[in-house]
Structure formats: structure tokens, C-alpha cells
Amino acid sequence: MSGDVWTQLLSVALVGTDRYQSALPTLAPPLDTLPVSGVLEAAGAVTVARRAGVLPHRQATPDPAPPDTRPVMPPIAARWLAQLLSPECKDAVWIRTFTLIQETLTLASRRGYRVPPSLLPALLDLATRKQHLRPLVGAVGGERARWLASQRAEWGWLLKQETDILDEAVWRDGPLPERVAYLKALRRRDPAAARERLMKAWSAEHPAHRAALLSALAVNLGPEDEELCERALDSRLWKLRTQAAALLALLPGSAYRERMTARALACVRRDAVGQIVVTPPTTCDQDMIRDGVLPEPPDRSSKPVWWLRQVVAHTPLAAWETLDPDPSSLLRRERYGSGAEVLEAGWAEAIDRQNDSVWASAFFDYWISQGRTFAPPEAPVQLLRLVPQDQLVEYAAANFKGGSSQIIAVLEHCPTPWPAKLAEAALTALGAAAISWNTLPYVAMGLDPALADEAKRRLDATTAIRPDGPVSAIYRNVVTTLSIRFQIHKELA
Amino acid sequence: MPEPWSVDQIHTLAPDAASLNAAYNLVMRAQWRELGAAELPSTVLWCSWKVDTRGATPRQTCVDVAEPAYQCSCPSRKFPCKHILALLLMWSSKAVTQGGTPPDWVTEWHASRQIRAAAEAARIARRAGEKPEPAKAKAAQRRATQRANRVAAGITELEQWLENQIQHGIAGMDRGGDAPWDTMAARLVDNQAPALAEAVRRLADIGGADREGRLLSELGLLQLLTRAYRRIDTLPETLAATVRTRVGFPVATEEVLATPSVRDLWQVIGVRETIENNLRTRRVWLVGRTSGRYALVLSFGSTVRVAATDLVVGTQIDADLCFYPGLVPLRALVAARHGAPTVVPEPSPVVGIRTLLEGYARALAADPWLTEWPALIAGTVVPGQRWHLVDPAGDALALHPEAGEPWRLLAASGGHPVTIAVEYGPEGVRPLTYFADGEVFLP
């Protein structure tokens, strides 16, 4: 009954021997002769006995991880990954540790490698913060990562595959983002069933949730969705109307597209000499408001011009063929009339909404030729995603030196590794030490790593910078990153 | 060239996170001018670094992997400095290629180390053969008597203090904040009983669940120690040595080296560092591959300097160890090395949790004040409110509260047993390192 003895000793010790009147608990010899004042000796002896007598307890263990037969990635890449993932290896301003990690994982997953298990916690933590890494981490993590994630709530996202998203209970009781995800997943599999589900629930849904739910219809959008979208246009909520309008504008042959085309062509026409003449709408009637046009401008600008811009932005781009079948030449036609200046912005918005590559390509050329930039509020930078990559490469190669303000935005959308033409332009600029510092990381990550030696040669030959100075160090980082990447590529090739 | 160390092995050498951070900065920015490795015949790595200021001399760093020994010309107070760590990290990811002639400063450093090592060996040999001069021996005798008297006085004070505590009850012991412990600890330092002083000072750190119970345990053990010291002249020599160590009598290195040595293939299985009062204590645990015997190499550094960086976790070395006297000889010195360290392929002997507890119980019977006991366990960890270490027999121990949540260890094991180096104590078990896929990792 050592527990008992210990409890009794502790109660003596707590009050103190001055106030404790009775004797010590019965102890085994030789402790049995100790007076009350000997409580500390007794405690010492019992402590040692308790420590020496510790027995292991029984602990249920979860089922071990199922085996993963894929090979672990080879050692050099694994060591680099371990270094890149260690918390002490913080992003050294521009080195883009993160991009290197992503590249390594991509190469590894392509070759069917898995990562060393010891790196999984760091990777899962990273992907918890950076959502777009999740599929990649799931691929290289394999069974072990799933097993690990099942034991920690923060990593639970890994277990939520599409099959789990398609859980009836999620649709019934889940939070809004998960319900939207459910609907999108169902749309991918069975568009009609998803639409039915939404239509059935429509009147019971909270009005504020409807816009988000409706957005799921963008997946596999078809003519059958028109009815529900038209119903949504009757809502008093502008957010829902504009969401419905965006979908309808994408739907070929929809009544909405015809209505918008008629409105647009009433405002924008070609005159006798082929110039574009603009007359903004005089009123914003109920039908226009229903079709997603906001009657009040966000600032104090002219209301009719504001209406015009929105009409253009919602009009299918195909509508303009009646003015000029070629977007390039249409963009270059002279424009006049009140509100002519907002046509570009309206078109840019329409291109973005309708994901139109032909228009995006024409718009890019036109915009560059005007010396304008892809930055809000003039034109959304995301238009670049629609521009054909050849065109972007062409532009970047021609404008590499010195680094114009939008070269970074363009480089973001160039394919990697960079095509020969762009690579050569970058190497030439490197040799002349004529790359702005914020473009250098793109060079380091964009060039084919096989060019590491060539980059070093160009840099060694340059006379533009002092070889040992701080500027040179910044340039040399490009070479280092390239050679790290070269090693990783070689091993994972 | 020997297999480069793993990233985690290098991390155990870093004096702090900031220097590792700086080292990664150097690696990722490739700030070197010259970088190479050669066999001289032991593997030597070197690097000279770029400097940003014109005219400054470049920093020169070299590492002799065989010892290992490190050298850097930078003025940093930290050791190993960021340059050394960066060079090791580059070596780890195979960015250092063998070949080329080492520059003069590398060969000079290497040669000077060998000369110094030979001189040191000669000095120790000479010392061992020397008989102390009678005058010196007399003086030493006098100092020892003085010290014994002061320690006795300190013990008397401690006994008085312990009696006071128990008379008034330990419930109200912390009413004066940390001051009562600090005063008593300071008195013991004055009386040349540093280990006792440390034990008293640590009472202040006891907190959390069952605070009073743990306090009573520690006070009881202190009481046993004072009683034992009173009778020290009647105790057997080894027990007396244990008691003296617990009180804080120093043992001269020469005295330790004079004891019979134990030769084995010593595997470095784990390192734990504590920093208290600006003193860094590095505890390196070794296990003899053939004898299965445990050894602890203690070294003391400052907050910015890591001491005893020559024992690298996950390596093994054929060496003679000399143990400090005591009933449970654990603390040891490396007396002589027979060859360079190599990477431990698969550490052994590996035991179960029951064997660990039996070993600790046996050791406690000899040294009741022992609070750390090492082992190599085949096992895994189980997450929970409190994490547990579990062996294949299903026996489990709770992890030490400071051990955190070793997710990496769990990931590496996948629920299957892996070899884990642990340090066991009354508060639980701490995983120090684990071995998987032929590499050593930190949990």
C-alpha cells in the first residue's frame, strides 16, 4: 500500500511536523522506528522505492500504416528537400525556397517517388497553409501521409477526397463552402442531378447563400441551366443577379445574350467612315437592372457612362462581329462619343468573364502597342492567363533587358522551363548584368537548369559589375539556384 | 570519402537557431569563393567565403571530418559558427566535391592539429608517470581538508533548512517566491557544494500537477543525501564516491584517466542540451556495441559555444572510455580513439521497455539520486493528450512533458517499431533521436 503510505507522508509534510500530532504511518523496517521528524527520510526512501517500482502501462496502438511500395526519392533530392523544409531555412528574401520545394515535389511525383516519411509533418504543415500544394503533397505523401493525417485534425484535409465531399450529409448540414464544393463535385459527375438538387432546395435556401451555390453551375454549364439562372435574375439581391448574369453571358444562345447584344449594339455602332460611335444608354430601366446592371456608379462619375461600361462587360464578345469580324482591327478603330473611353475597360472585363483567348490575344497586342500596363484599374492582370503563351514569350524575350514594369507579370504566365528564345534573352541580359533585382528570381526558377553552367559562364565573363561586390552576389544567386535545381532534376530525371 | 552527415546530425551541432538560419542563408546564396574536399588522409573540407566589403580578408573555414574538428577565421563568438555549419550542410547535400589541391591554409591547419595532438598525448603520458612533489601533495591535502570542512558546514545549514521546512509544512513553502531557495542555494555554493546547490535551486522549477508530491520527493532525496554525507567515512569507497559527486566534489581529469579504460565500439545515440544560468550543458549518450554498456559524456559550454562537438550523433567510434568513480559509473571521458568515427548502420543492442525499467531500478538501488537512464528502444509513439512510447510487447511509458509532440518520429515509424534512443527519468521518457533508413533523425 505504498500509495497510501505516500499519501499519509504527504499530508504530514503539507501541514508540517509542528502541527502534526499523531505518529507516522506504519512503515517497513528500517523506517518503522522513525519519529515524526523523520518524515523527510521516509519520503526519500519511499520516493526511491516508487521510482524503482514503476511498471509499464498498457497502451492501445492504432493500426500501423499500410505499406507503400513506391521507392523513396533518391538521396540528394531528399537532402535538399530536408534542408528546404527545415524551419531555420527561412526564405532568404528572394530565393523562393517555396518554389524549389514545389518543383522538387512535382518532379518526384511524376516519377512515382514518395518522400522520406520524416519529412511528412513539415510538408503537411506547409500544405495546410498553402492549399494549392495539397494534391501534390497527397501524391508524394502516399499511404503514410494519409495514415498520419488520420491522427491529427489539422491535417484532416488530406482525407477529404472527392468521394468524401459527395457526402449527402455535407449537402444537408455542412457549412456553405463545403456545400458549394459538394455541388461542384456533383456537377462534374452528373450536371443534371446537381441542378435538380439545387432547384429543389432553392426556395428554402437563405437568399444570401444562393449566389455562392449558383456559382457551382459554372462547372459543365449547359442550356438546361438557363431556367434556373433566369429565376435568379428575379432576385432583389444584386450579388445573386450579377452571378446569374455572368453565367448566362457564357451560355451560347441564351435569351440573356440576345438581350445584352441588342442593348450593346444600340449604344455602340459603326459610322459611315468605319469609326466607332458611342451613345450611352439614356436610362437604366428595370430590365437592365434585372440583367445585372448596377444603377448607381461606385464613384461620382457619369451614370450613363457607367451603365454603358457594364452593358459592354456583360455582352458576349461575339456580338461585336457585326461591327468588325476581327477583334484586332476593331480595337484599333477610332472611337468617339460620350463614354468611348470606357469601351476598353468594358471589353477587358468581358474577356475576363468569358475566358476568350482570341480576344485576349488581340487585346494584349493592342494594349502593349498603346504603351499601357496590365494593372488595375486599367486592365485586370489576370487577362494574361488567357493570352497564348507564344505571344507572351515573344514579348518577354524582346523586352527582357532592364525589366519593364510588367515583365514580371508576363513571366508569371510563361511556360517553364523557358523556351529557347526567352532563355537566350535572359542569358544575354545576365551577361550584361542588366536585369532588375525583382526579375532575378524568375530567371533562377524559369531557366532550364541544364543552363546552369552557361549562366555561370556568361556571368563570369561580364565586365558590367565588380566580381566581388554585393551586386555580383545577387546575380550569382541565380547560378546557385540553377545548380541546386540541376542536381535535383538530374536525380529525379 | 565517408558518407556525409545527415541534415539532423548537423542541426545537433548548432549553438542556436539563429546560427543555423544564418548558415542556410550562406548555403542558399552560395557565398563561397573556393570549396573543396580532400583526403589528408582523413577527410578535410574547406571553404573560403566571399566578402561584401572591399579589402576585407575572406573568411576561411575548414572541417576535419575524421575527428571531427572545426576551424573558422571569422570573429564570431558562436561555435560552431554559421560558416562551419554552412560548409557541413553543403557537404550533406553533396554540393562539396572531392578533388583539387587543398590551399596552404588548409594543409597548415591540418598539420598544426596533428602536432598539437601529439604534444597533448605526450603531456598526458608524462603526467601519468609523474609522482606529485611532496610540497604540492601537502598543499593539496590542506586544500582538501579545508573543502571538507566547508562542505560539512554547508550540509549542517542544509539540514537545518530542511528541518525548518518540514516543521512548518511544505504547503506554504513558496510563499517567499524564489528567494528562499536561491538564498539556500547561494549558501551551498559558498560552501563549495555546487551539485547540492543546483539541486536546491531546481526546487523552484517544480510546478504543475502534483507539485507538492514532487517537492516532497526532492526534499526527501536531499535529506537522504545529507544523512549519507554525515556517514561518508563509514561508506564503501564507490558509494562514497557517488555521494561526493552528488554533493559536488570535483574529480580531476587525471584521476579519471588513471582508472582502467573500457574499449568498445561506442555508438553516439543521443544528445540533450540544457542552458541554465548562461551555462550550456551538453549530455552525449553512448552505448557500447559489444558490451551494451551506457556512457554519458558531459561537457559545458556557454550560451553561444557548443562544447564537445567531436561526438556526432549517429556515428560510432572505436575508443577507450574511462569512467568517473561511483556505484553506477555512467559519466565518462574519451581517453583514446582508435580510428575515425563512422556512421552507425543500425545501433544495438536494442531493448524493450521492461528491460529499460529493470535497468533503471537496478541503477537506482545503487545510486538513489539517479534521474536519467538511457536506452535504445525498439518502439513507436502514440499520440494523445499525453504521448506514449510503446514497444512491440505493448508496454508503454508516458513521454516527458518537455518532449513535445514527436510527429516526425510517428511519421517515420508508421506505427511499426523503429530504433529510438531515449532518456528515461521519473517524469517520463524523452525520445532523443531515432534511426530509420540508415539515417539518424531528431524527433
Side-chain angles (χ1 to χ4, degrees):
Chain A
M1 299 288 279
S2 102
D4 267 356
V5 169
W6 180 255
T7 317
Q8 292 176 48
L9 287 176
L10 186 57
S11 54
V12 179
L14 280 174
V15 288
T17 48
D18 278 358
R19 273 174 288 172
Y20 193 83
Q21 297 308 323
S22 47
L24 281 187
T26 329
L27 296 164
L31 300 177
D32 52 347
T33 56
L34 281 175
V36 172
S37 61
V39 64
L40 274 185
E41 270 111 319
V46 174
T47 295
V48 178
R50 276 160 54 105
R51 286 182 180 177
V54 166
L55 289 175
H57 25 127
R58 309 298 295 178
Q59 172 78 31
T61 50
D63 289 336
D68 193 335
T69 49
R70 295 178 302 160
V72 175
M73 65 198 280
I76 296 184
R79 287 268 166 101
W80 271 119
L81 197 56
Q83 295 199 7
L84 293 169
L85 284 171
S86 68
E88 287 83 5
C89 184
K90 292 229 185 78
D91 206 340
V93 189
W94 70 276
I95 263 293
R96 328 229 311 167
T97 328
F98 173 68
T99 324
L100 269 173
I101 292 173
Q102 189 172 12
E103 188 179 36
T104 310
L105 296 181
T106 310
L107 290 170
S109 84
R110 236 179 254 162
R111 284 298 314 275
Y113 287 121
R114 62 195 168 98
V115 293
S118 296
L119 299 182
L120 285 176
L123 274 178
L124 288 168
D125 279 344
L126 187 67
T128 302
R129 280 176 283 124
K130 311 245 177 196
Q131 300 214 1
H132 65 280
L133 272 186
R134 292 179 177 185
L136 204 50
V137 170
V140 295
E143 287 294 342
R144 186 63 60 92
R146 295 177 58 81
W147 178 81
L148 212 53
S150 70
Q151 303 185 58
R152 192 176 199 182
E154 288 98 310
W155 298 335
W157 49 262
L158 186 65
L159 305 172
K160 285 203 183 130
Q161 298 298 332
E162 197 152 285
T163 47
D164 298 319
I165 296 171
L166 279 179
D167 179 356
E168 205 58 36
V170 169
W171 172 246
R172 242 184 2 253
D173 314 312
L176 184 62
E178 282 187 27
R179 297 184 68 217
V180 173
Y182 168 91
L183 213 52
K184 281 184 178 165
L186 192 57
R187 277 294 280 194
R188 268 190 286 276
R189 185 185 292 180
D190 186 350
R195 186 179 50 250
E196 289 304 315
R197 185 133 298 179
L198 184 56
M199 281 175 95
K200 220 185 211 168
W202 189 255
S203 46
E205 289 294 340
H206 192 285
H209 291 175
R210 288 181 189 160
L213 291 168
L214 193 69
S215 73
L217 292 189
V219 179
N220 286 328
L221 187 69
E224 299 80 12
D225 299 320
E226 189 174 359
E227 188 197 333
L228 183 57
C229 290
E230 283 287 345
R231 238 169 94 186
L233 285 180
D234 294 330
S235 163
R236 274 180 306 153
L237 292 176
W238 174 74
K239 211 175 142 194
L240 179 55
R241 287 201 313 274
T242 189
Q243 177 62 61
L247 289 170
L248 286 167
L250 289 172
L251 203 57
S254 69
Y256 178 85
R257 279 171 70 110
E258 276 167 32
R259 295 201 294 275
M260 270 308 178
T261 304
R263 278 188 196 112
L265 293 181
C267 299
V268 185
R269 288 182 310 273
R270 234 173 83 179
D271 70 5
V273 292
Q275 296 186 340
I276 303 296
V277 53
V278 181
T279 13
T282 44
T283 54
C284 183
D285 56 31
Q286 281 307 313
D287 286 343
M288 274 169 78
I289 293 175
R290 178 176 179 273
D291 280 349
V293 174
L294 257 185
E296 295 296 323
D299 46 23
R300 300 172 71 96
S301 58
S302 145
K303 280 187 187 180
V305 172
W306 167 246
W307 299 331
L308 171 72
R309 180 182 162 155
Q310 290 183 84
V311 167
V312 174
H314 284 86
T315 300
L317 288 158
W320 307 108
E321 278 169 16
T322 55
L323 299 187
D324 191 327
D326 176 17
S328 277
S329 86
L330 175 63
L331 283 163
R332 285 178 173 77
R333 280 177 192 270
E334 286 293 324
R335 293 183 287 268
Y336 64 91
S338 160
E341 69 282 0
V342 299
L343 273 188
E344 289 162 343
W347 277 325
E349 205 179 321
I351 296 168
D352 185 33
R353 281 163 166 266
Q354 296 168 39
N355 296 317
D356 192 314
S357 275
V358 177
W359 265 84
S361 166
F363 192 84
F364 178 81
D365 274 349
Y366 165 72
W367 208 241
I368 296 293
S369 71
Q370 300 283 305
R372 321 264 298 259
T373 59
F374 281 89
E378 282 203 272
V381 71
Q382 64 263 30
L383 278 195
L384 290 176
R385 77 178 193 278
L386 301 166
V387 180
Q389 292 191 324
D390 291 354
Q391 206 176 343
L392 294 176
V393 167
E394 202 68 35
Y395 170 81
N399 292 278
F400 211 94
K401 265 194 184 175
S404 77
S405 60
Q406 60 185 339
I407 187 95
I408 290 181
V410 173
L411 288 175
E412 291 252 26
H413 292 91
C414 284
T416 51
W418 289 348
K421 193 166 192 184
L422 179 52
E424 184 46 43
L427 287 170
T428 309
L430 198 63
I435 305 178
S436 68
W437 64 272
N438 51 0
T439 314
L440 282 169
Y442 291 88
V443 180
M445 292 308 301
L447 279 180
D448 186 335
L451 292 169
D453 281 347
E454 181 59 25
K456 184 170 184 305
R457 231 182 337 272
R458 301 279 183 108
L459 202 52
D460 285 345
T462 186
T463 50
I465 41 173
R466 204 159 51 78
D468 244 5
V471 180
S472 157
I474 296 173
Y475 276 92
R476 271 176 206 287
N477 290 346
V478 174
V479 177
T480 318
T481 309
L482 280 173
S483 42
I484 294 178
R485 289 180 56 220
F486 182 61
Q487 281 194 12
I488 296 173
H489 276 255
K490 210 168 65 184
E491 225 191 17
L492 298 178
Chain B
M1 184 152 82
E3 185 59 21
W5 301 337
S6 72
V7 177
D8 280 11
Q9 273 172 310
I10 296 159
H11 281 202
T12 62
L13 293 172
D16 52 25
S19 46
L20 257 188
N21 214 321
Y24 274 115
N25 243 318
L26 288 172
V27 174
M28 296 298 163
R29 287 167 177 244
Q31 300 287 16
W32 71 83
R33 202 190 268 226
E34 241 184 315
L35 180 66
E39 312 277 344
L40 291 174
S42 58
T43 305
V44 175
L45 317 171
W46 69 84
C47 182
S48 73
W49 302 90
K50 277 178 190 306
V51 278
D52 284 352
T53 8
R54 191 195 292 262
T57 35
R59 307 277 174 242
Q60 297 171 329
T61 311
C62 34
V63 173
D64 183 339
V65 181
E67 200 156 342
Y70 319 90
Q71 159 77 30
C72 183
S73 68
C74 81
S76 170
R77 291 180 305 128
K78 294 190 178 178
F79 186 81
C81 69
K82 60 181 178 182
H83 300 106
I84 295 170
L85 295 169
L87 176 55
L88 289 171
L89 284 169
M90 290 191 282
W91 178 52
S92 170
S93 53
K94 314 230 165 114
V96 183
T97 45
Q98 181 125 29
T101 346
D104 287 347
W105 54 272
V106 175
T107 41
E108 275 163 25
W109 172 72
H110 193 252
S112 75
R113 281 200 61 79
Q114 279 169 334
I115 294 167
R116 233 182 307 157
E120 176 71 13
R123 193 183 63 83
I124 289 174
R126 207 170 46 242
R127 276 272 190 99
E130 266 173 15
K131 280 234 166 79
E133 295 167 37
K136 269 194 181 166
K138 227 173 169 181
Q141 185 64 42
R142 199 172 53 241
R143 275 201 305 277
T145 321
Q146 265 175 9
R147 179 163 193 149
N149 290 339
R150 296 181 75 165
V151 170
I155 294 273
T156 310
E157 260 186 70
L158 178 60
E159 279 173 333
Q160 193 60 52
W161 183 81
L162 285 170
E163 200 183 322
N164 279 339
Q165 306 305 328
I166 201 63
Q167 277 172 356
H168 297 121
I170 62 173
M173 217 172 154
D174 56 347
R175 238 163 249 158
D178 285 352
W181 335 95
D182 284 350
T183 317
M184 187 62 233
R187 292 294 303 142
L188 287 165
V189 170
D190 292 346
N191 285 311
Q192 294 189 301
L196 263 184
E198 186 53 31
V200 171
R201 208 203 48 71
R202 267 204 301 265
L203 294 174
D205 300 339
I206 297 178
D210 189 31
R211 184 174 168 279
E212 280 86 11
R214 283 156 67 204
L215 205 51
L216 178 60
S217 288
E218 295 308 320
L219 291 172
L221 289 168
L222 275 174
Q223 179 81 336
L224 292 190
L225 192 55
T226 60
R227 288 287 185 272
Y229 189 76
R230 284 269 166 249
R231 297 166 45 202
I232 196 146
D233 294 333
T234 65
L235 299 177
E237 183 44 40
T238 42
L239 178 56
T242 298
V243 171
R244 268 199 295 273
T245 307
R246 296 292 174 197
V247 169
F249 282 92
V251 182
T253 307
E254 286 83 3
E255 209 177 302
V256 178
L257 291 176
T259 61
S261 61
V262 182
R263 182 167 176 177
D264 204 333
L265 195 52
W266 293 100
Q267 312 161 93
V268 185
I269 58 165
V271 174
R272 187 158 74 84
E273 284 200 325
T274 49
I275 297 184
E276 262 174 21
N277 296 333
N278 292 328
L279 178 74
R280 177 193 295 266
T281 309
R282 187 175 174 89
R283 343 166 62 81
V284 182
W285 289 105
L286 311 175
V287 180
R289 198 168 178 89
T290 35
S291 62
R293 193 168 167 171
Y294 300 121
L296 171 66
V297 175
L298 276 184
S299 57
F300 306 95
S302 67
T303 44
V304 293
R305 291 186 79 83
V306 176
T309 43
D310 55 348
L311 293 169
V312 179
V313 170
T315 62
Q316 57 187 5
I317 179 162
D318 181 7
D320 296 335
L321 254 57
C322 287
F323 287 84
Y324 280 73
L327 265 180
V328 184
L330 262 187
R331 191 174 169 199
L333 290 175
V334 180
R337 294 164 171 246
H338 311 282
T342 52
V343 171
V344 180
E346 185 62 40
S348 77
V350 179
V351 299
I353 281 174
R354 266 176 205 275
T355 317
L356 160 72
L357 290 177
E358 278 162 20
Y360 179 57
R362 242 195 315 278
L364 267 187
D367 178 355
W369 301 281
L370 187 69
T371 50
E372 290 130 0
W373 190 249
L376 279 169
I377 300 276
T380 181
V381 282
V382 178
Q385 192 70 35
R386 181 123 188 232
W387 284 54
H388 281 81
L389 176 76
V390 187
D391 70 9
D395 289 327
L397 288 172
L399 291 200
H400 193 282
E402 284 171 15
E405 301 187 342
W407 285 103
R408 298 185 73 196
L409 172 49
L410 182 68
S413 86
H416 303 284
V418 288
T419 303
I420 309 168
V422 301
E423 185 186 290
Y424 176 74
E427 285 191 67
V429 63
R430 301 172 193 258
L432 300 176
T433 45
Y434 64 90
F435 296 80
D437 309 320
E439 256 190 47
V440 61
F441 294 94
L442 300 174

